[in-house]
Amino acid sequence: MTTIVGIKTKEGVVLGSDKRASKGFFIGSKITQKIAKIDDTLAVAIAGQLSDAEYLIKVSKAERKLIELRRGFPLTVKESARLIANLAYSGMKNYQPYFVELLVAGVDQEGGHIFAADMSGAITSEDFASSGSGSPIAYGVLESTYHKEITNEEAKQIATKAVSAAMERDPGSGNGIDVLVIPNLVLEVAA
Amino acid sequence: MAEAGNYGSRYPYFYGPEGRLVLVDSALEAVRRGSTTIGIKTPSFALLASHIKPVRQLIDPAEKIFVIDGHVGATGSGYIGDILQLIEELRLEAQKHRLNFESPIDVGSLAKHLGSFLHNYTIYAVRPQAASVIVAGVDQTGLQLYQVDPSGTFMRGSGFAIGQSSDIALDVIQHDYSGDMSVDQAVALSNKAIEKALGERPVVEVGVITTQDKQFQKLR
């Protein structure tokens, strides 16, 4: 159930999600937050078991903070995605997988990045990605509208469009849209 | 508590009467007898140089400059066996970081890890490792040079000397150091420092990493 989308732009990254949490054929919640901010430069969009995702996010949030304090500069988006994927992988190998599909989105010194991470522990770097039961419909919108020169404002509109298209036809998605924009870091320029 | 002074002799692995860790001091003393070893950093490269003690004709001298990962190198002074174990610890930590984060480890984290590894030997009744290590590398934050001591202390800087007559060697480096010297000039400087410290023409092994190729390489 769920529809989440992530788009990489020249100016940063954009995440979008619906707000429905399903309990079988029943709508368990109409105001679910499926986009979790890890900090000001990184966020995760959740599809799948919410409890599993919450746990993964809590652990990776703590781990990321610890490493930043220890080494003095933050993890890159890829390092963070690998951290989360390793947790997911160890879950799978212990026959207690975390039932999640996550979009890890954030900005670092190199700009914006989107990674799709799933319960198998694999991560793939994407320009745009979607997950959840509504993703085939969302992908239809993304595939036809995404281009390399996209801005954050455009991506916001495309993300909204993709999620709302999915909400129209996917019974597992609905009840409104959340969008999060993470703009690129303002890099210090030598004076 | 009146006989606190006696504890020093009964438990040599705890504090001595002067409040110093006797075994750690001994380890530092062992390092001071090791081969003279130098680390120099400029804005464009970092260099490691270690004196190789002359051995018998038919015996190959031991390796003293080590590649830790592609972007990091290290050298040490003290007991060779202890140095080798610390080098292995550094290599392991570097590969662990690649496994966990899919990225090369930063030099500061390596130095910090080695510091806590060594510190562990100062809190139990064991023999502290008699080796100081100098680590050089390039990471996300640029060129880095660190020295790590048996006490677990680690320092960041642009010029280090450890081992035999290291005070003299460090004086030479401090005196002649310049931020815009070339690799060849730095090699000459380290040779000069070791020569001054030992009073003889030394055989020296050298390793360099530059900001251009970001790969640690042994010279010769």
Side-chain angles (χ1 to χ4, degrees):
Chain A
M1 308 296 112
T2 293
T3 305
I4 51 172
V5 299
I7 302 170
K8 179 167 94 179
T9 75
K10 283 175 71 182
E11 303 166 346
V13 286
V14 176
L15 283 175
S17 80
D18 71 313
K19 298 186 182 186
R20 178 174 293 177
S22 303
K23 284 184 174 168
F25 289 111
F26 185 70
I27 297 170
S29 170
K30 302 195 282 184
I31 50 165
T32 315
Q33 286 271 356
K34 299 181 184 182
I35 300 176
K37 259 181 91 173
I38 296 223
D39 55 33
D40 287 343
T41 61
L42 192 78
V44 173
I46 305 158
Q49 194 75 47
L50 199 64
S51 58
D52 280 347
E54 274 175 351
Y55 175 75
L56 283 180
I57 288 164
K58 259 194 278 182
V59 172
S60 51
K61 199 182 210 170
E63 203 77 43
R64 193 171 134 92
K65 189 75 214 172
L66 272 174
I67 287 155
E68 178 175 355
L69 289 169
R70 284 189 190 131
R71 75 178 191 182
F73 58 97
L75 287 178
T76 62
V77 181
K78 189 184 180 186
E79 285 174 322
S80 307
R82 178 44 74 198
L83 180 75
I84 293 168
N86 282 350
L87 283 167
Y89 183 75
S90 69
M92 186 193 70
K93 281 290 168 183
N94 286 304
Y95 297 101
Q96 286 172 36
Y98 299 97
F99 288 98
V100 289
E101 202 157 299
L102 303 172
L103 295 180
V104 182
V107 294
D108 54 31
Q109 301 286 321
E110 269 81 56
H113 303 275
I114 301 264
F115 287 93
D118 62 20
M119 57 192 261
S120 79
I123 48 171
T124 52
S125 171
E126 308 285 355
D127 289 337
F128 59 88
S130 179
S131 244
S133 55
S135 62
I137 303 162
Y139 266 127
V141 177
L142 292 173
E143 290 289 359
S144 59
T145 45
Y146 180 83
H147 58 93
K148 290 268 182 198
E149 302 300 310
I150 195 165
T151 63
N152 277 350
E153 199 47 50
E154 240 181 305
K156 232 163 100 181
Q157 283 165 16
I158 291 175
T160 310
K161 227 169 135 183
V163 175
S164 61
M167 290 190 336
E168 291 291 334
R169 291 283 171 167
D170 172 38
S173 309
N175 307 106
I177 299 167
D178 275 331
V179 178
L180 175 73
V181 180
I182 305 178
N184 277 340
L185 299 172
V186 182
L187 298 178
E188 286 168 40
V189 186
Chain B
M1 288 317 268
E3 4 164 56
N6 294 333
Y7 283 74
S9 52
R10 272 220 283 162
Y11 299 103
Y13 36 86
F14 290 140
Y15 295 94
E18 290 88 31
R20 298 191 62 86
L21 292 165
V22 180
L23 285 186
V24 172
D25 281 356
S26 304
L28 278 164
E29 195 52 44
V31 171
R32 265 192 279 277
R33 289 156 205 259
S35 50
T36 317
T37 299
I38 283 166
I40 296 174
K41 186 187 77 178
T42 74
S44 54
F45 66 89
L47 171 142
L48 300 176
S50 187
H51 171 230
I52 297 185
K53 287 186 175 165
V55 287
R56 292 185 182 254
Q57 230 175 7
L58 297 177
I59 304 176
D60 290 344
E63 187 186 21
K64 287 297 295 292
I65 306 279
F66 305 91
V67 177
I68 300 301
D69 198 350
H71 64 299
V72 183
T75 182
S77 186
Y79 290 155
I80 278 276
D82 290 356
I83 295 171
L84 290 176
Q85 222 210 341
L86 298 183
I87 294 299
E88 183 59 25
E89 189 62 30
L90 285 176
R91 286 179 174 154
L92 219 88
E93 191 63 14
Q95 292 312 312
K96 257 191 213 166
H97 190 281
R98 285 193 181 269
L99 212 61
N100 287 332
F101 302 109
E102 219 176 307
S103 67
I105 193 169
D106 56 298
V107 188
S109 290
L110 271 177
K112 205 173 281 186
H113 174 77
L114 194 61
S116 58
F117 180 83
L118 286 165
H119 178 261
N120 210 31
Y121 286 89
T122 70
I123 58 177
Y124 302 108
V126 291
R127 176 179 72 85
Q129 302 294 292
S132 282
V133 172
I134 301 177
V135 190
V138 173
D139 58 31
Q140 299 92 315
T141 58
L143 259 178
Q144 306 288 346
L145 185 71
Y146 282 89
Q147 177 186 332
V148 192
D149 285 339
S151 57
T153 317
F154 62 96
M155 298 157 270
R156 202 164 82 102
S158 298
F160 294 118
I162 52 177
Q164 200 181 326
S165 308
S166 55
D167 294 350
I168 300 170
L170 195 57
D171 279 345
V172 175
I173 295 168
Q174 273 166 4
H175 186 262
D176 287 7
Y177 177 89
S178 145
D180 51 14
M181 56 186 168
S182 67
V183 174
D184 288 340
Q185 283 170 318
V187 171
L189 173 57
S190 61
N191 272 322
K192 183 180 162 190
I194 294 172
E195 191 172 343
K196 194 83 174 279
L198 301 176
E200 59 183 76
R201 268 200 82 75
V203 183
V204 175
E205 197 180 346
V206 181
V208 177
I209 182 164
T210 65
T211 46
Q212 269 151 23
D213 67 357
K214 297 183 168 116
Q215 289 290 111
F216 186 82
Q217 253 143 3
K218 297 214 279 181
L219 295 185
R220 275 176 293 136

